[in-house]
Amino acid sequence: MDINHGEHAQPLHTDDAFYRSPRPRPPLGAATMWAVDPFTRDNGATVLLPGSHPWGDDRRPAATTPV
């Protein structure tokens, strides 16, 4: 992932949407991110939604705050 100056933020999304099993579901994979630069709002930090892992496919956040 390489976010450049002036790019727009991605919409909120799950990184496991390619699994065809409905949410909530048991964990099916793992991912690792290695930040070589600080994660900041200005450079496109990843937005985390703690507690969203058991949400169903129909649940969407009302607002976001980077954590």
Side-chain angles (χ1 to χ4, degrees), residues 14-35:
T14 61
D15 284 341
D16 63 354
F18 53 88
Y19 292 115
R20 294 185 177 196
S21 177
R23 294 178 134 253
R25 61 177 163 260
L28 298 173
T32 302
M33 292 175 60
W34 292 59

Side-chain angles (χ1 to χ4, degrees), residues 4 7 10 14 25 33-34 37 46 54 58 64:
N4 295 301
E7 290 190 41
Q10 294 182 19
T14 61
R25 61 177 163 260
M33 292 175 60
W34 292 59
D37 294 309
T46 296
D58 58 340
T64 63

